[in-house]
Amino acid sequence: MTRKIVVIILAIIFMIPVYWTVISSFKTLGEIYQYPPTIFPKHFSLEGYNSIFKNMDFIRYLGNTLFVAIVSTVFTVFLCLTVGYSLAKGTFRGKNFLSSLIMVTLFITAEITMVPLFIIIRKLGLMNSLWGLIIPVVFTPTGAFTAVQYMKDIPDELLESAKIDGATEIQIFNRIIVPLSKPLIAALSIFSFTWRWNDFILPLIVINESKLYTIQLALSSLQGQYGVAWNEVLALTVLSIVPTLIIFLLFQNLFMKGLMAGGLKY
Amino acid sequence: MKIYYGGKKVKNLISLFIMVVLLSIVFFSVDLTMYVGDATMGRNFSYLAKIYQKDHPDVNIDVVVLPYYGGFMQKVSLSIMSGEAPDLVQITTGYIFQVSDYLINLVPYVEEAYNISAEEYKEQLYSMPKYCIEKGDSIIAVPLEYTVQGLWINKEMFEKAGVCYPPSGEREEPWTWEEFKNALTEVKKVNKIPYALSMDYSADRFLGYLGMWDIKILDENLNFVWGTYENAEEAIQEFINLFNEGYMPKAEWLSGQAADQDFFSGRTAAYWSGSWICTDAIRVSKDTGKEYDAAYLPKMNNWFGMPGGSFLGAFKTGKTEKEQAAIDFLMWMTDKEGGYSEFLKYGYYLSAYKDYSVDYENKQMNEWADTFSKLGENYPEWAVITRANEIGSRLYYEPLRKQLSLGIAGQATPKQIIENTKDEYERIRKDLGF
Amino acid sequence: MQKWVRNRFVFSIPSLILFLLFTFVPVIITIYFSFYSWDLLHHMKFIGFKNFKDLLSDKWFWNSIFVSFKYTFLSVPLIFILSLILGIFLQEEDRFSKTFRAFFYWPYMVPLVAAGTMWKWLLSTDTGMINAILSKLGFSNISWLENPHLALLSTVLVQVWVLTGFMMMLFITGLQNIPQELHEAAIVDGANKFQLFWKITFPLLKNTSVLVIILSIAYCFRNFTIVYILTTGGPGYATTVTPLYIYQQAFSSYRIGYASAMSLVFLIIVFIVSFFAFRVQEKESGEI
């Protein structure tokens, strides 16, 4: 019981800014500027949302962002599972070196490698295309590192016995590793979707036409030189949070259920 | 629809004709890309592009809005560097000098379009836009909106305190600095608000303030002269005192607290900003019923509102057809009978042409336009040259305002602020190879 | 080729190619840039080691490293403890847990710029909600973002708020991997809750813990958006973390070469420190 109380209190604290944003997105611009700020909108208004739908091709941007996020996630999960397996259970010589190398790159800020990344993306012909938002980031050090740590917990005995039974590596991967990694897959899917959904540096340097805008790029362009349309920023922020929330709730259910039903036998 | 002369043959001919026209629009249609640094301006341009398309159906203009403070110049620089510059760019006084080498020379087109020489064309403009669009003998861009710094007033609060602000019947002359501070003190006291004045965390505003003291940071030859003024440190200290004595909220310059929010929410009664707030002021007024007014800045050794604005340029891309289409659009935009008047009216912008103004069909806006015009009329030449140049772009935006912020935080004395800025100036000069 | 399948190297190949292209090569290019002076718009000028010499005497660079360390090592323990507790509380697959996980993960899902802006409003000294409530209760305004110490704590607060949910998910994944039987056996043997945690659960969470700590440290060192939005690095340079300083040098001062040199030095420093922290942690957990 205490656990539930603690969780609820913390959850309330955590949700204050989000509540604040959602509530404010339903205020008029004038009320947003008011002081003291009102906890509940005096006049419930959809003007921020209307403005967004009127002035932007929101559905198209939504489509672009969904495409990038979903396709990336599929590739990312595949890449993380494979590299995780390789570095956690592999026996090749450069294994530790490669792991360390990946770990080092965890510390690199995207903003700083912006210019070199731009040069490479351009050379590969990925400029001004949604694939330019997918391919450069589909391998993520964070995801790889997570997968490696997770896979280290898979008992070697399982793999050994499978090999003795004559299974090929591919079979081991498909029949043992993947099923056992269901929570990892769920976690990686949620993470990858979130990361791609929230990318704003890469779209800025890759995209040159408004047809290909992602939601984050549209959101950051609302902060203009001559002022910020706060009601629109709030509305678009709220709209941009909803899909990731849906994905989170969906994936939670799909993969995490029945994990222990399989059971890991020692 | 039936056509009776010659029946089928004519029908086929007409269909063929229509198809040819449509196909030619598709095949010969030109797609132009325009980079813009402000969402509202982007929408205004989309609106104008639609008007332009009515007469030029073969031209599509894609208005790409980029975040001004979060990547506009990076994107433009990267585009230029990679040889994929956009066809058109809306660019401000702060940045035009960085890209001037890459813009098309518009002199022949201006002369052709208006039957006047390039000189005559430039003479029509205020000296700020004129200075920014010329590069040697070339004209590298056409002016869009003209902006002037000015003071915004919360009418209700000033009336309650019984303080008249210029320009008005009771007070036509601008305040002196002392009178200004007294007015602010009175308004703050009567209305029981924590502060009196808001100012964006912007080096540009500070330059406007320094301009009142008749102090230059760079001179016309781009030498660093700030330290040569006797009252340079006094001016800085007086600015810092505005924060220390409670006139302005420190938060605005220490952590970038939104000054417009402070003003529109009533935490301050005045806002040292400029003509670009007109649209917002009208908007908030409509929503909240509060009334705002534009007023004169105080007068010291000088009196003027620092000018600014943005421009429309076409990049040299080497694609002749696109370049031509871009230039055509440019010429239409700057034509007072073409897109220019519509642009000003739609966006509540001030005209960059000295003897040309529009009726905004909004009483308030027309009054405000007058006030800003007055403020924008008598700035000294040096205010233009010393502010709008390559060194200035790099020196003012981040380094200068950061130094001032350190001063307000008590971590730097006015003397140190000047010295540190000088060091940065020298480094920039070396980098640029002067 | 056969050998590569046997020692499982082949599974790394797709990732390796992408890693080299998009992570490794940019670093090499950055190293290249660090020997030049470049502003993106004009020609690059070779200047040898000058950038590195300059940064040695750049007091704001070293200040930013100090700030980055403060920022990271204040945030990481808080994130670790909070996410561990939440992970333990919400590891079951019951309705309550599944619903409430979303509340803690949601901050991580919010785009970083939006998260920063939300908090900036709440914490705004003169127009923010928190101070509005405080003044209603009779307290005076607190300068959350202007007092140098409070400003740093505010950025830490937001960082913790953002990352805890993510780390909680990692802990849950790790916790769910601990076989039930172990717990059941221990309970049968008479272990209480406390012993259960320290002797069984926590040691088995070693890999997850390492992951959480390293990712948190990396994330905190890397991140600058939160600080940028909340305080723009102020007051003065009190909250200017190194990535922010580098960014300002690169794009406000147009010094790509200098920024590249700083990035390299920062990367090396940060990695060395984290490496040691990691080693120490490994040694300690090995002794349990």
Side-chain angles (χ1 to χ4, degrees), chain C residues 102-165:
Chain C
F103 287 124
F104 296 104
Y105 185 67
W106 204 349
Y108 187 70
M109 289 196 292
V110 169
L112 219 45
V113 173
T117 313
M118 285 180 204
W119 277 103
K120 191 177 173 69
W121 269 9
L122 287 177
L123 293 170
S124 167
T125 306
D126 300 300
T127 50
M129 188 56 159
I130 295 188
N131 274 349
I133 296 179
L134 282 178
S135 38
K136 263 233 174 80
L137 295 175
F139 298 104
S140 56
N141 274 354
I142 300 184
S143 295
W144 298 105
L145 301 171
E146 290 79 49
N147 174 299
H149 304 293
L150 278 182
L152 189 64
L153 288 177
S154 301
T155 54
V156 168
L157 165 75
V158 178
Q159 179 71 77
V160 171
W161 180 79
V162 165
L163 265 193
T164 297

Side-chain angles (χ1 to χ4, degrees), chain B residues 342-360:
Chain B
E342 196 59 37
F343 172 73
L344 296 181
K345 276 202 278 217
Y346 195 69
Y348 289 135
Y349 297 122
L350 296 178
S351 161
Y353 292 95
K354 281 192 286 208
D355 296 310
Y356 179 73
S357 61
V358 293
D359 175 5
Y360 297 94

Side-chain angles (χ1 to χ4, degrees), chain A residues 76 80-81 83-84 106 139-148 184 188 191 195, chain C residues 211 215:
Chain A
T76 298
C80 287
L81 284 178
V83 83
L106 275 176
F139 170 75
T140 74
T142 311
F145 199 63
T146 308
V148 171
L184 177 67
L188 285 174
F191 297 156
W195 293 330
Chain C
L211 178 65
L215 286 183

